[in-house]
Amino acid sequence: MSMNSVSAVRQPALTQPDPTRITVAYGDGIGREIMEATLAVLQAAGAPLAYDEIEIGEQMYLQGFASGISPEAWDTLRRNKAFLKGPITTPQGGGYKSLNVTIRKSMGLYANVRPCRAYTPYIESHFPYLDLVVIRENEEDLYAGIEHQQTSEVVQCLKLVSRPGCERLIRYAFEYARAHGRKKVTCMTKDNIMKHTDGLFHQVFNEVASEYPDLVSDHYIIDIGAALLAASPDRFDVVVTLNLYGDIISDITAQVAGSVGLGGSANIGDSIAMFEAIHGSAPDIAGQDIANPSGLINAACLMLTHLGQNKMAATIMNALLATLEDGIHTADLFSETYTRQRVGTQAFAQAIIERLGQAPSKLTPVQASTMNKPIEIRLAPRLKMSKKLVGVDVFLDWTGDSRDPNELGRQLEIVAGNELKLKMITNRGVKVYPNGLSETFCTDHWRCRFVAQAAHLKANHDGLLTSVPVTYPQLTQLLDRLIDAGLDFIKIENLYEMDGTRAYSLGQGE
Ligand code: NAD
């Protein structure tokens, strides 16, 4: 790592405000070319920035750092408020962890913000009025990266969703909408199926939305939401969603805007933020001076806005739009109708520099953001819920003689003992015992639900039905009996009531 080693960049003149130190990484493939172009534009615009360079990416992977980053680089990342990152190449093969995911999660970069707009007619899109922002949860969901093979036939990936994780992301989305003069925030989940994980996200969305009566809020199930984003994206303004859905819909949105090569994204945390182009390292065109630097320039403008340099960001974006409008295009944007001059990466940056101070005449100019300071999120106090153990799901690796659920059920009825009873068995979530259907296809992975032997539900003193508690010794003794019976349990999930409400899903057909 070298301090101030970005040779293309001079320190700003003394008359300018104190520069903000940021971290810069060139990355791999076309990274160096597009970063040089971007830094040249920032310098020419007079952005008051100072730079610390770190090395990340392929070279670091190949030197044995499995996350693609050297241990010293973390100090620089933590010292500076912002990180402008070039794309990196993730080597093929096992053992390498995604650097992006590592940085996002280690640095608490919880919100992935991807603005997307159309640049028609210069960039072809069916939706000239498309102008929306996808705000994606960045740390949780299936990207927790917790996967296990449990039987010969079944692997699992844990989907983790936390209330504070949902809350700060959703609050960020509403605060972002306010700060940027947006009118509507749309939530997308699949809570008709995943009632507890996606259900929590939707519930927190409704709670937070009620605090922002000045903004319209609505919700779509992700499948129809994604279809509408592809068919009529101009109806959306700010979209907030979970990690995996956000990953997918932000690419759909960029694609229908016709501008994947132009898009930038911000990864926002409480104290640090990372900015990058949405495309990858494009090794097929690296070193040829033909890559389009617009995505990274766009990301740099998101960074300037985040750092409070809103006017500077608008100036650069408008010069970029004026360049596109003047028909000065890199090869990827070439069009018979609109391209007047086909240029390379550095010449494109030079054309932007020549237009600093100009606004586009046909494309809608970018207004300086009304955001006057980084968004700060305060979470509601964390309340401890009351928790009652009411049963257990034991997962078994079992085939028996013929994978007959009734054979397994008969065996488990005995193993359940005097204090617990077998309530049901499911296979891939579908009830197969008691009274399953012979048509249900079964793998070697069985979820066996045990509850208290006393009637599952009893009336409490108010006459309300309540579950009978079970104890931890009852669970461990059950596991001992399973071992004695030669049954291979893979894992257990305890069943709880939280604040008196069932906090686990029912089996399909239960
Ligand atoms: P890619 O985005 O690098 O390239 C896809 C296609 O788009 C290629 O034909 C490429 O030439 C073109 N392209 C991309 N950026 C361009 C630009 N600025 N100007 C002109 N053309 C451009 O995606 P890929 O080929 O799937 O991935 C290549 C590598 O990048 C992989 O190792 C992947 O893991 C990595 N990657 C990194 C990031 C990141 O660092 N954030 C994101 C995506 C992919």
Side-chain angles (χ1 to χ4, degrees):
M1 183 190 71
S2 62
M3 302 282 280
N4 296 325
S5 62
V6 180
S7 55
V9 180
R10 283 196 305 271
Q11 297 301 306
L14 287 176
T15 50
Q16 290 185 318
D18 282 348
T20 304
R21 290 206 85 80
I22 68 160
T23 308
V24 166
Y26 286 92
D28 300 317
I30 59 171
R32 179 156 293 277
E33 301 153 64
I34 61 173
M35 185 62 83
E36 279 172 358
T38 302
L39 295 175
V41 171
L42 287 171
Q43 182 203 1
L49 298 170
Y51 305 90
D52 293 328
E53 186 194 344
I54 60 168
E55 271 199 52
I56 56 168
E58 208 171 11
Q59 282 312 313
M60 292 293 110
Y61 282 118
L62 298 178
Q63 280 177 39
F65 298 106
S67 299
I69 179 168
S70 70
E72 311 87 72
W74 289 107
D75 296 335
T76 314
L77 285 176
R78 294 173 72 200
R79 198 170 50 237
N80 295 334
K81 280 201 178 85
F83 175 28
L84 185 61
K85 174 183 160 294
I88 59 145
T89 302
T90 310
Q92 297 290 319
Y96 298 111
K97 295 295 272 185
S98 158
L99 175 64
N100 269 352
V101 177
T102 303
I103 292 179
R104 285 172 189 160
K105 287 173 34 175
S106 310
M107 294 288 183
L109 310 184
Y110 60 89
N112 188 308
V113 181
R114 209 189 258 196
C116 195
R117 62 168 279 193
Y119 299 96
T120 51
Y122 307 98
I123 313 291
E124 204 179 315
S125 167
H126 296 301
F127 309 105
Y129 302 109
L130 187 163
D131 180 6
L132 63 85
V133 185
V134 176
I135 300 187
R136 158 192 169 196
E137 197 285 312
N138 225 7
E139 300 171 286
E140 305 191 338
D141 190 4
L142 292 161
Y143 288 62
I146 305 175
E147 294 188 290
H148 300 94
Q149 176 145 12
Q150 298 187 319
T151 68
S152 303
E153 296 174 3
V154 175
V155 287
Q156 76 159 20
C157 176
L158 274 190
K159 173 161 172 149
L160 292 180
V161 176
S162 75
R163 175 171 269 276
C166 296
E167 188 188 336
R168 62 181 182 162
L169 187 262
I170 291 165
R171 281 191 187 283
Y172 184 88
F174 278 94
E175 287 293 327
Y176 179 98
R178 259 192 194 159
H180 291 266
R182 301 248 169 198
K183 303 279 179 280
K184 184 167 80 165
V185 183
T186 300
C187 175
M188 294 193 190
T189 72
K190 188 78 183 172
D191 66 338
N192 54 331
I193 302 295
M194 283 160 279
K195 297 179 197 299
H196 292 269
T197 46
D198 287 30
L200 176 63
F201 193 91
H202 190 177
Q203 183 189 334
V204 174
F205 177 81
N206 288 343
E207 290 167 12
V208 173
S210 68
E211 297 175 32
Y212 294 82
D214 50 316
L215 295 169
V216 177
S217 61
D218 58 6
H219 172 266
Y220 287 90
I221 298 294
I222 184 67
D223 35 4
I224 187 63
L228 290 173
L229 270 170
S232 49
D234 32 12
R235 68 163 71 194
F236 294 101
D237 197 356
V238 174
V239 179
V240 64
T241 188
L242 294 106
N243 204 340
L244 177 61
Y245 311 141
D247 199 359
I248 296 166
I249 65 167
S250 55
D251 268 23
I252 293 176
T253 314
Q255 187 67 30
V256 296
S259 63
V260 181
L262 303 188
S265 76
N267 296 268
I268 306 288
D270 282 337
S271 53
I272 298 164
M274 175 171 84
F275 302 85
E276 62 181 340
I278 65 178
H279 59 72
S281 57
D284 52 331
I285 57 166
Q288 300 172 39
D289 190 42
I290 57 174
N292 183 351
S294 301
L296 192 58
I297 293 172
N298 208 323
C301 291
L302 295 177
M303 179 185 73
L304 290 171
T305 302
H306 179 78
L307 296 173
Q309 299 176 25
N310 308 0
K311 284 194 182 140
M312 180 69 65
T315 300
I316 295 173
M317 277 308 293
N318 283 327
L320 170 59
L321 297 185
T323 306
L324 294 176
E325 206 175 77
D326 285 348
I328 299 175
H329 296 163
T330 44
D332 55 306
L333 301 181
F334 179 80
S335 111
E336 292 288 348
T337 316
Y338 293 105
T339 302
R340 278 193 18 246
Q341 201 186 340
R342 185 163 149 165
V343 293
T345 312
Q346 307 312 323
F348 185 76
Q350 202 51 44
I352 296 173
I353 289 167
E354 284 161 15
R355 286 163 182 76
L356 286 167
Q358 293 180 25
S361 55
K362 299 200 182 59
L363 290 168
T364 311
V366 171
Q367 303 297 329
S369 162
T370 47
M371 189 166 120
N372 51 18
K373 58 180 171 39
I375 292 167
E376 277 178 30
I377 300 300
R378 283 217 182 82
L379 297 183
R382 294 198 201 178
L383 301 177
K384 191 101 180 132
M385 299 175 89
S386 74
K387 189 169 159 183
K388 182 165 95 179
L389 184 65
V390 295
V392 65
D393 281 347
V394 181
F395 291 77
L396 297 181
D397 179 349
W398 183 84
T399 48
D401 291 334
S402 57
R403 299 181 190 230
D404 176 1
N406 295 313
E407 180 191 336
L408 180 61
R410 280 191 294 274
Q411 204 177 347
L412 290 177
E413 297 279 6
I414 298 164
V415 171
N418 299 326
E419 294 171 314
L420 298 176
K421 71 169 182 186
L422 176 68
K423 182 146 190 282
M424 63 158 188
I425 302 174
T426 67
N427 197 292
R428 293 186 301 170
V430 182
K431 192 184 81 170
V432 291
Y433 180 89
N435 308 321
L437 301 179
S438 58
E439 289 81 3
T440 305
F441 180 81
C442 291
T443 67
D444 55 1
H445 186 271
W446 309 81
R447 184 217 358 207
C448 311
R449 177 160 290 175
F450 295 88
V451 296
Q453 178 64 266
H456 177 51
L457 294 172
K458 68 171 186 186
N460 68 12
H461 56 274
D462 295 324
L464 296 170
L465 288 177
T466 175
S467 297
V468 177
V470 300
T471 64
Y472 285 99
Q474 286 172 352
L475 301 193
T476 52
Q477 287 156 15
L478 172 67
L479 297 183
D480 285 341
R481 291 194 296 277
L482 287 166
I483 295 168
D484 291 345
L487 290 164
D488 177 8
F489 64 85
I490 310 154
K491 71 162 188 173
I492 67 167
E493 286 285 350
N494 294 344
L495 307 179
Y496 294 109
E497 274 180 8
M498 308 289 287
D499 285 349
T501 303
R502 174 173 53 80
Y504 52 90
S505 58
L506 297 176
Q508 273 153 355
E510 183 178 356

mmCIF file of all heavy atoms in Angstrom, residues 30 85 87-90 100 276-285 291-292 332, ligand 1:
data_model
loop_
_atom_site.group_PDB
_atom_site.id
_atom_site.type_symbol
_atom_site.label_atom_id
_atom_site.label_comp_id
_atom_site.label_asym_id
_atom_site.label_seq_id
_atom_site.Cartn_x
_atom_site.Cartn_y
_atom_site.Cartn_z
ATOM 1 N N ILE A 30 -9.972 -4.166 -16.832
ATOM 2 C CA ILE A 30 -10.063 -2.778 -17.291
ATOM 3 C C ILE A 30 -9.991 -1.787 -16.125
ATOM 4 O O ILE A 30 -10.076 -0.570 -16.335
ATOM 5 C CB ILE A 30 -11.385 -2.531 -18.059
ATOM 6 C CG1 ILE A 30 -12.599 -2.852 -17.164
ATOM 7 C CG2 ILE A 30 -11.412 -3.294 -19.362
ATOM 8 C CD1 ILE A 30 -13.933 -2.422 -17.766
ATOM 9 N N LYS A 85 -13.719 1.867 -5.738
ATOM 10 C CA LYS A 85 -13.138 0.556 -6.053
ATOM 11 C C LYS A 85 -13.305 0.203 -7.529
ATOM 12 O O LYS A 85 -14.423 0.288 -8.065
ATOM 13 C CB LYS A 85 -13.848 -0.489 -5.179
ATOM 14 C CG LYS A 85 -13.490 -1.906 -5.467
ATOM 15 C CD LYS A 85 -14.299 -2.846 -4.610
ATOM 16 C CE LYS A 85 -14.318 -4.227 -5.195
ATOM 17 N NZ LYS A 85 -15.024 -4.318 -6.474
ATOM 18 N N PRO A 87 -13.242 -2.679 -10.631
ATOM 19 C CA PRO A 87 -13.751 -4.059 -10.652
ATOM 20 C C PRO A 87 -12.620 -5.050 -10.442
ATOM 21 O O PRO A 87 -11.473 -4.771 -10.796
ATOM 22 C CB PRO A 87 -14.334 -4.197 -12.060
ATOM 23 C CG PRO A 87 -13.575 -3.200 -12.877
ATOM 24 C CD PRO A 87 -13.223 -2.060 -11.964
ATOM 25 N N ILE A 88 -12.941 -6.189 -9.887
ATOM 26 C CA ILE A 88 -11.900 -7.198 -9.696
ATOM 27 C C ILE A 88 -12.305 -8.523 -10.327
ATOM 28 O O ILE A 88 -13.480 -8.797 -10.531
ATOM 29 C CB ILE A 88 -11.567 -7.421 -8.205
ATOM 30 C CG1 ILE A 88 -12.804 -7.870 -7.451
ATOM 31 C CG2 ILE A 88 -10.953 -6.206 -7.572
ATOM 32 C CD1 ILE A 88 -12.441 -8.840 -6.392
ATOM 33 N N THR A 89 -11.286 -9.303 -10.637
ATOM 34 C CA THR A 89 -11.507 -10.639 -11.195
ATOM 35 C C THR A 89 -11.445 -11.644 -10.058
ATOM 36 O O THR A 89 -10.470 -11.662 -9.315
ATOM 37 C CB THR A 89 -10.392 -10.971 -12.220
ATOM 38 O OG1 THR A 89 -10.409 -9.961 -13.238
ATOM 39 C CG2 THR A 89 -10.597 -12.341 -12.837
ATOM 40 N N THR A 90 -12.492 -12.425 -9.922
ATOM 41 C CA THR A 90 -12.459 -13.496 -8.918
ATOM 42 C C THR A 90 -11.943 -14.753 -9.612
ATOM 43 O O THR A 90 -12.566 -15.217 -10.568
ATOM 44 C CB THR A 90 -13.869 -13.774 -8.355
ATOM 45 O OG1 THR A 90 -14.447 -12.532 -7.974
ATOM 46 C CG2 THR A 90 -13.803 -14.687 -7.148
ATOM 47 N N ASN A 100 -16.113 -8.601 -2.695
ATOM 48 C CA ASN A 100 -17.215 -7.657 -2.480
ATOM 49 C C ASN A 100 -18.028 -8.034 -1.259
ATOM 50 O O ASN A 100 -18.329 -7.195 -0.411
ATOM 51 C CB ASN A 100 -18.148 -7.642 -3.697
ATOM 52 C CG ASN A 100 -17.723 -6.587 -4.680
ATOM 53 O OD1 ASN A 100 -16.849 -5.787 -4.382
ATOM 54 N ND2 ASN A 100 -18.332 -6.594 -5.840
ATOM 55 N N GLU A 276 -18.584 1.738 -6.638
ATOM 56 C CA GLU A 276 -18.000 1.002 -7.764
ATOM 57 C C GLU A 276 -18.961 0.992 -8.946
ATOM 58 O O GLU A 276 -20.156 1.280 -8.801
ATOM 59 C CB GLU A 276 -17.666 -0.431 -7.346
ATOM 60 C CG GLU A 276 -18.885 -1.227 -6.938
ATOM 61 C CD GLU A 276 -18.553 -2.647 -6.509
ATOM 62 O OE1 GLU A 276 -17.474 -3.139 -6.878
ATOM 63 O OE2 GLU A 276 -19.374 -3.250 -5.813
ATOM 64 N N ALA A 277 -18.400 0.663 -10.123
ATOM 65 C CA ALA A 277 -19.247 0.449 -11.307
ATOM 66 C C ALA A 277 -19.985 -0.860 -11.125
ATOM 67 O O ALA A 277 -19.542 -1.724 -10.373
ATOM 68 C CB ALA A 277 -18.361 0.391 -12.554
ATOM 69 N N ILE A 278 -21.115 -1.008 -11.826
ATOM 70 C CA ILE A 278 -21.843 -2.266 -11.633
ATOM 71 C C ILE A 278 -21.291 -3.393 -12.502
ATOM 72 O O ILE A 278 -21.574 -4.548 -12.260
ATOM 73 C CB ILE A 278 -23.370 -2.092 -11.856
ATOM 74 C CG1 ILE A 278 -23.698 -1.727 -13.289
ATOM 75 C CG2 ILE A 278 -23.926 -1.079 -10.894
ATOM 76 C CD1 ILE A 278 -25.201 -1.615 -13.525
ATOM 77 N N HIS A 279 -20.489 -3.061 -13.504
ATOM 78 C CA HIS A 279 -19.947 -4.126 -14.350
ATOM 79 C C HIS A 279 -18.706 -4.740 -13.709
ATOM 80 O O HIS A 279 -18.196 -4.249 -12.696
ATOM 81 C CB HIS A 279 -19.622 -3.581 -15.750
ATOM 82 C CG HIS A 279 -18.638 -2.457 -15.728
ATOM 83 N ND1 HIS A 279 -17.305 -2.638 -15.457
ATOM 84 C CD2 HIS A 279 -18.795 -1.128 -15.943
ATOM 85 C CE1 HIS A 279 -16.682 -1.469 -15.511
ATOM 86 N NE2 HIS A 279 -17.564 -0.532 -15.789
ATOM 87 N N GLY A 280 -18.201 -5.807 -14.324
ATOM 88 C CA GLY A 280 -17.023 -6.494 -13.823
ATOM 89 C C GLY A 280 -15.738 -6.010 -14.480
ATOM 90 O O GLY A 280 -15.697 -4.907 -15.057
ATOM 91 N N SER A 281 -14.687 -6.849 -14.415
ATOM 92 C CA SER A 281 -13.346 -6.424 -14.837
ATOM 93 C C SER A 281 -13.119 -6.578 -16.336
ATOM 94 O O SER A 281 -12.050 -6.225 -16.838
ATOM 95 C CB SER A 281 -12.302 -7.234 -14.073
ATOM 96 O OG SER A 281 -12.525 -8.622 -14.307
ATOM 97 N N ALA A 282 -14.092 -7.110 -17.056
ATOM 98 C CA ALA A 282 -14.070 -7.211 -18.529
ATOM 99 C C ALA A 282 -12.693 -7.609 -19.064
ATOM 100 O O ALA A 282 -12.088 -6.878 -19.853
ATOM 101 C CB ALA A 282 -14.523 -5.895 -19.164
ATOM 102 N N PRO A 283 -12.164 -8.787 -18.674
ATOM 103 C CA PRO A 283 -10.817 -9.156 -19.128
ATOM 104 C C PRO A 283 -10.707 -9.246 -20.643
ATOM 105 O O PRO A 283 -9.616 -9.064 -21.195
ATOM 106 C CB PRO A 283 -10.578 -10.528 -18.465
ATOM 107 C CG PRO A 283 -11.893 -10.972 -17.925
ATOM 108 C CD PRO A 283 -12.769 -9.791 -17.788
ATOM 109 N N ASP A 284 -11.851 -9.461 -21.324
ATOM 110 C CA ASP A 284 -11.797 -9.598 -22.792
ATOM 111 C C ASP A 284 -11.371 -8.311 -23.490
ATOM 112 O O ASP A 284 -10.883 -8.346 -24.615
ATOM 113 C CB ASP A 284 -13.168 -10.072 -23.334
ATOM 114 C CG ASP A 284 -14.340 -9.221 -22.855
ATOM 115 O OD1 ASP A 284 -14.257 -8.652 -21.741
ATOM 116 O OD2 ASP A 284 -15.339 -9.114 -23.592
ATOM 117 N N ILE A 285 -11.528 -7.158 -22.831
ATOM 118 C CA ILE A 285 -11.146 -5.898 -23.500
ATOM 119 C C ILE A 285 -10.083 -5.131 -22.702
ATOM 120 O O ILE A 285 -9.794 -3.970 -23.010
ATOM 121 C CB ILE A 285 -12.380 -4.992 -23.742
ATOM 122 C CG1 ILE A 285 -13.105 -4.689 -22.420
ATOM 123 C CG2 ILE A 285 -13.331 -5.609 -24.761
ATOM 124 C CD1 ILE A 285 -14.117 -3.550 -22.557
ATOM 125 N N ALA A 291 -12.489 0.473 -23.026
ATOM 126 C CA ALA A 291 -13.547 0.319 -22.010
ATOM 127 C C ALA A 291 -14.233 1.661 -21.748
ATOM 128 O O ALA A 291 -13.617 2.722 -21.840
ATOM 129 C CB ALA A 291 -12.946 -0.209 -20.718
ATOM 130 N N ASN A 292 -15.507 1.568 -21.419
ATOM 131 C CA ASN A 292 -16.291 2.758 -21.084
ATOM 132 C C ASN A 292 -16.110 3.065 -19.591
ATOM 133 O O ASN A 292 -16.454 2.230 -18.749
ATOM 134 C CB ASN A 292 -17.767 2.452 -21.389
ATOM 135 C CG ASN A 292 -18.666 3.634 -21.155
ATOM 136 O OD1 ASN A 292 -18.244 4.652 -20.609
ATOM 137 N ND2 ASN A 292 -19.919 3.506 -21.563
ATOM 138 N N ASP A 332 -18.691 0.460 -26.923
ATOM 139 C CA ASP A 332 -19.875 -0.257 -26.440
ATOM 140 C C ASP A 332 -21.155 0.546 -26.647
ATOM 141 O O ASP A 332 -22.246 -0.015 -26.642
ATOM 142 C CB ASP A 332 -19.724 -0.606 -24.953
ATOM 143 C CG ASP A 332 -19.446 0.624 -24.106
ATOM 144 O OD1 ASP A 332 -18.487 1.350 -24.426
ATOM 145 O OD2 ASP A 332 -20.192 0.871 -23.141
HETATM 146 P P1 NAD B 1 -18.163 -8.065 -17.042
HETATM 147 O O1 NAD B 1 -19.129 -7.038 -16.566
HETATM 148 O O2 NAD B 1 -16.745 -7.878 -16.666
HETATM 149 O O3 NAD B 1 -18.238 -8.156 -18.648
HETATM 150 C C1 NAD B 1 -19.425 -8.496 -19.346
HETATM 151 C C2 NAD B 1 -19.349 -7.938 -20.787
HETATM 152 O O4 NAD B 1 -19.496 -6.513 -20.716
HETATM 153 C C3 NAD B 1 -18.018 -8.186 -21.454
HETATM 154 O O5 NAD B 1 -18.241 -8.410 -22.827
HETATM 155 C C4 NAD B 1 -17.234 -6.899 -21.281
HETATM 156 O O6 NAD B 1 -16.311 -6.630 -22.303
HETATM 157 C C5 NAD B 1 -18.366 -5.861 -21.288
HETATM 158 N N1 NAD B 1 -18.032 -4.717 -20.421
HETATM 159 C C6 NAD B 1 -18.026 -4.695 -19.053
HETATM 160 N N2 NAD B 1 -17.664 -3.489 -18.605
HETATM 161 C C7 NAD B 1 -17.446 -2.737 -19.698
HETATM 162 C C8 NAD B 1 -17.057 -1.386 -19.886
HETATM 163 N N3 NAD B 1 -16.821 -0.577 -18.835
HETATM 164 N N4 NAD B 1 -16.923 -0.932 -21.141
HETATM 165 C C9 NAD B 1 -17.186 -1.722 -22.195
HETATM 166 N N5 NAD B 1 -17.569 -3.008 -22.092
HETATM 167 C C10 NAD B 1 -17.695 -3.504 -20.857
HETATM 168 O O7 NAD B 1 -18.709 -9.478 -16.526
HETATM 169 P P2 NAD B 1 -18.045 -10.928 -16.583
HETATM 170 O O8 NAD B 1 -17.348 -11.113 -17.895
HETATM 171 O O9 NAD B 1 -19.121 -11.845 -16.210
HETATM 172 O O10 NAD B 1 -16.983 -10.945 -15.400
HETATM 173 C C11 NAD B 1 -15.603 -10.707 -15.571
HETATM 174 C C12 NAD B 1 -14.933 -10.726 -14.200
HETATM 175 O O11 NAD B 1 -15.423 -9.631 -13.443
HETATM 176 C C13 NAD B 1 -15.209 -11.988 -13.385
HETATM 177 O O12 NAD B 1 -14.024 -12.405 -12.742
HETATM 178 C C14 NAD B 1 -16.217 -11.549 -12.367
HETATM 179 O O13 NAD B 1 -16.113 -12.286 -11.176
HETATM 180 C C15 NAD B 1 -15.807 -10.115 -12.145
HETATM 181 N N6 NAD B 1 -16.854 -9.209 -11.644
HETATM 182 C C16 NAD B 1 -16.477 -8.283 -10.738
HETATM 183 C C17 NAD B 1 -17.412 -7.380 -10.263
HETATM 184 C C18 NAD B 1 -16.954 -6.373 -9.260
HETATM 185 O O14 NAD B 1 -15.785 -6.279 -8.981
HETATM 186 N N7 NAD B 1 -17.854 -5.601 -8.695
HETATM 187 C C19 NAD B 1 -18.728 -7.398 -10.725
HETATM 188 C C20 NAD B 1 -19.088 -8.351 -11.703
HETATM 189 C C21 NAD B 1 -18.131 -9.258 -12.158
#
